[in-house]
Amino acid sequence: MGHLLLIAEKPDAARAFAQALSPSYETKKGYLVGSNQIIYSYAYGHLLTQVEPHEINEKYKEWRKEDLPILPEKIPLKIIPGKESQLNLINTLAKQATVIYNCCDSGSEGQAIFMRISEHFKWNKPVKRVWTSSLQPAAIQKAFNEAKDNEEYQHLTAAGILRSESDWLIGMNSSRAASLATNANIRAGRVLLPTLAIIFDREKERADYTKTLYHVLYGNFEQNGIVYKGERLFEDGYPTDLKEVEKAQLILSSQPCEIVLADKEIKKKKAPKLMDLTELSRIANKKYGYKANETLAILQNLYLKKLVTYPRTNSNHVTEAEIPLMHASFDLLSQHYPHLSQNADKRFVHAANKQICDSSKVDDHHALLPEPVNPPNDLPEDEVKISQLVLERFFAQFYPENVFEHLKVITACGPEQFVSYFKAPIQMGWLQIYPSADEEDEQSDKEQVLKALPNLRQGTVSYIDSSIKAQETSPPPSFTDGTLIQLMKNISRRITDPTLKQNLTGKGIGTAATRGDIIKKLGDYDYIQYNKKNIEITKLGIEVIKLFRKTKINTLTSPEFTALWEEKLETIRKGQEQKGNFEKRMREFCSVIVQEFEQIEVNSTDFEKKGVANCPKCNNPIVESKTRFYCSHQKNSCPFFIWKKQYGKTLTITNLNQLLEKGKTNKLTFTSLKGSKYNGYLLLKEGNLEEGKLIMEFINSSSTKK
């Protein structure tokens, strides 16, 4: 009798399935055996990846114009080094199985991981798809019992493969064509370039911005013993002429003053919506400085520990089916977080509350939710911080809305008018546990928050005194990981064409799962650098955008073009369009890319990399090849060099400068063969600079790896 084989994406996920579906299980090397004839294996993330061009044809090893465009009929896959034994084990188990269950993460990436394995071995067994946003036993059991034929996800598979292949073809052809035209190592891509272009445009706007000095006139007034402050009211911005403001100030004392408007209004404000990955990444970056890909890695760990639901979600709503889960999590977690739950009430979370529950706004996965489990006491600090952000937003849903009474007062002194804003709480709802969420209210910095509104009425007031404050206008701020990833999700905000804007509302650049990696790649390719949290574009990044915008394929730098591309992929994912037309247009576009770079004239000196520190052995310049950094005086017997690829990382110019200037890189995130993440540094070996190898030092540990 054959067994059932369940294939998960990671070992921890496979263990969660075993705990949920088998009365008991035994752990073997690479798999688990359940007592009820179910075997659980796992993929360690991706086991197969697309080949490099030279692995299709040896001639592509050399980059030559005459070999472009590279358009293979099908892009083959290869086994990722070190993953062979696990891949072969899965195949052995599959041959013995009666039914195979795809239990990889429920998203396009998880679907791609499973389908690549299945197609690699050409399995012809029945395959079921288990789709779950939670690794809790009840959720797994429900998803397993409701598993559908994997074929029902064929459109998701098609869109995922098409996305991957189009990224390969466009990235490969545009990178090679641009590199050959510039005699430099240029990396380009369908999502990479428009993201870089957004940063380029913002930094250019900042560089071109001229600050303007303006002057604000404040007046202090009194009515029936109540002293209050008002700001001179202007409809079209603040005045820049100081003499004009001083003239207005001089005549204030000679003019009668009165309140001409005292308008009261009660405003209610609901809690911010539940978290999706983008919102969490934005807040984690603002509060803790985490980069977007770091937040996702931390969140993935929390998911595998069954503390939160599926992390790569693009939704901040739930369906009616998740309401019981929210109630269960509330009941259990309230015992552990009384400061978040002391005045909360479950009656606020129900299916009719569209702020929380709206199935029309949930695609593959609902919003991020904490699971109903006792939190462990030994979580790392970064996981505690991220889980707290999820918890705060979750518990805020169980509070009533905030209710404030607002008062707008306009005081007239002759021809001049002054405005004052006040607010006072009537009902402190979710804000009592989540005050930081109110910091982004644009009006809050102008409102005087009081326990009760002042009893100001229309009528005469006394002028006390006034003051002038000089201020400067500010350029738009540099992007951070948080603000950039938010714009990537909501790119329609940048579009002016009304029809296009409507079509792309809710569409974005990349996906919730990939945006953090895109930003990271921009840094790896030395297109951007960080100044604390702020993202700055490098000279190379500027030249790359200027280069592509000189061509007829400048749409590659257009966020609108990329968002439209995502929209087309979405229609394929939903089965509303066949992939053939998209694939044909994409291949034609690759040919146009190559033609453009054959005709363009480029000054290659614009793309020379500068600013690399000198050789620590002989103080001569360091130069770069495809595989290593080495001393320019190597021919004169200086042996110093560093291999670019170390411990699964590809060193960038920025990493190299860090090594040469201070002996080690900044903190890096590494991935083990089993897919787990850990942080550390790469260090130069003291006294031995001739082997090309670096030392790895784990953070929070004295251990090193050579």
Side-chain angles (χ1 to χ4, degrees), residues 281-416:
S281 299
R282 181 185 71 82
I283 295 176
N285 178 253
K286 181 178 181 180
K287 191 168 183 178
Y288 300 119
Y290 293 153
K291 295 182 173 65
N293 64 307
E294 293 173 338
T295 296
L296 177 55
I298 296 166
L299 196 59
Q300 180 72 14
N301 288 340
L302 291 170
Y303 171 65
L304 292 174
K305 292 176 181 179
K306 296 185 275 189
L307 297 175
V308 299
T309 56
Y310 186 72
R312 293 174 174 85
T313 177
N314 206 39
S315 174
N316 46 26
H317 289 82
V318 300
T319 70
E320 190 171 345
E322 282 76 55
I323 298 298
L325 169 62
M326 291 185 71
H327 285 180
S329 293
F330 175 86
D331 288 339
L332 189 144
L333 295 172
S334 293
Q335 303 169 38
H336 297 277
Y337 304 101
H339 64 292
L340 295 177
S341 62
Q342 55 188 349
N343 295 318
D345 195 321
K346 283 196 295 186
R347 65 187 174 89
F348 293 112
V349 174
H350 52 81
N353 184 344
K354 293 300 181 184
Q355 170 85 355
I356 299 169
C357 184
D358 190 341
S359 58
S360 68
K361 296 181 179 178
V362 178
D363 290 326
D364 292 337
H365 295 282
H366 57 71
L368 273 168
L369 299 173
E371 294 278 22
V373 295
N374 294 314
N377 296 320
D378 57 349
L379 281 181
E381 182 183 359
D382 55 1
E383 292 180 20
V384 171
K385 288 178 177 177
I386 294 299
S387 62
Q388 282 292 323
L389 294 179
V390 176
L391 284 165
E392 287 173 351
R393 188 65 65 89
F394 170 77
F395 273 106
Q397 313 306 313
F398 293 85
Y399 281 80
E401 56 200 0
N402 301 315
V403 183
F404 280 85
E405 190 175 20
H406 296 253
L407 174 63
K408 177 182 179 181
V409 173
I410 294 181
T411 305
C413 294
E416 303 296 340

Side-chain angles (χ1 to χ4, degrees), residues 56 206 543 610:
I56 299 173
R206 285 175 53 79
E543 295 301 331
K610 298 178 174 67

Side-chain angles (χ1 to χ4, degrees), residues 209-483:
Y209 188 86
T210 301
K211 291 183 178 181
T212 302
L213 186 69
Y214 64 93
H215 307 276
V216 185
L217 175 60
Y218 296 98
N220 290 310
F221 308 96
E222 183 265 332
Q223 185 186 67
N224 298 327
I226 301 172
V227 176
Y228 66 97
K229 185 176 184 178
E231 178 183 311
R232 190 186 186 200
L233 190 59
F234 271 86
E235 291 185 359
D236 299 318
Y238 292 102
T240 57
D241 186 350
L242 176 59
K243 290 183 178 180
E244 187 273 333
V245 180
E246 289 175 335
K247 182 179 178 181
Q249 183 184 31
L250 282 172
I251 64 173
L252 276 180
S253 58
S254 62
Q255 297 290 328
C257 299
E258 63 174 330
I259 292 176
V260 295
L261 175 72
D263 185 23
K264 285 186 181 180
E265 182 182 6
I266 293 177
K267 294 182 181 179
K268 300 177 180 180
K269 189 174 181 180
K270 294 181 179 179
K273 289 183 173 67
L274 289 163
M275 292 281 195
D276 62 7
L277 178 58
T278 298
E279 175 71 350
L280 179 64
S281 299
R282 181 185 71 82
I283 295 176
N285 178 253
K286 181 178 181 180
K287 191 168 183 178
Y288 300 119
Y290 293 153
K291 295 182 173 65
N293 64 307
E294 293 173 338
T295 296
L296 177 55
I298 296 166
L299 196 59
Q300 180 72 14
N301 288 340
L302 291 170
Y303 171 65
L304 292 174
K305 292 176 181 179
K306 296 185 275 189
L307 297 175
V308 299
T309 56
Y310 186 72
R312 293 174 174 85
T313 177
N314 206 39
S315 174
N316 46 26
H317 289 82
V318 300
T319 70
E320 190 171 345
E322 282 76 55
I323 298 298
L325 169 62
M326 291 185 71
H327 285 180
S329 293
F330 175 86
D331 288 339
L332 189 144
L333 295 172
S334 293
Q335 303 169 38
H336 297 277
Y337 304 101
H339 64 292
L340 295 177
S341 62
Q342 55 188 349
N343 295 318
D345 195 321
K346 283 196 295 186
R347 65 187 174 89
F348 293 112
V349 174
H350 52 81
N353 184 344
K354 293 300 181 184
Q355 170 85 355
I356 299 169
C357 184
D358 190 341
S359 58
S360 68
K361 296 181 179 178
V362 178
D363 290 326
D364 292 337
H365 295 282
H366 57 71
L368 273 168
L369 299 173
E371 294 278 22
V373 295
N374 294 314
N377 296 320
D378 57 349
L379 281 181
E381 182 183 359
D382 55 1
E383 292 180 20
V384 171
K385 288 178 177 177
I386 294 299
S387 62
Q388 282 292 323
L389 294 179
V390 176
L391 284 165
E392 287 173 351
R393 188 65 65 89
F394 170 77
F395 273 106
Q397 313 306 313
F398 293 85
Y399 281 80
E401 56 200 0
N402 301 315
V403 183
F404 280 85
E405 190 175 20
H406 296 253
L407 174 63
K408 177 182 179 181
V409 173
I410 294 181
T411 305
C413 294
E416 303 296 340
Q417 289 191 329
F418 294 78
V419 64
S420 310
Y421 298 99
F422 308 89
K423 75 174 182 179
I426 296 175
Q427 172 181 280
M428 290 295 287
W430 55 270
L431 204 55
Q432 61 189 290
I433 65 158
Y434 203 15
S436 61
D438 201 43
E439 292 174 0
E440 297 175 17
D441 187 341
E442 293 180 3
Q443 187 62 34
S444 63
D445 62 339
K446 291 190 176 183
E447 287 184 308
Q448 300 176 54
V449 183
L450 307 169
K451 291 183 178 179
L453 292 182
N455 188 24
L456 296 172
R457 297 286 185 266
Q458 289 187 20
T460 303
V461 299
S462 300
Y463 166 74
I464 301 175
D465 58 24
S466 59
S467 60
I468 298 173
K469 185 176 181 180
Q471 296 187 9
E472 279 187 331
T473 57
S474 300
S478 293
F479 282 113
T480 64
D481 264 49
T483 56

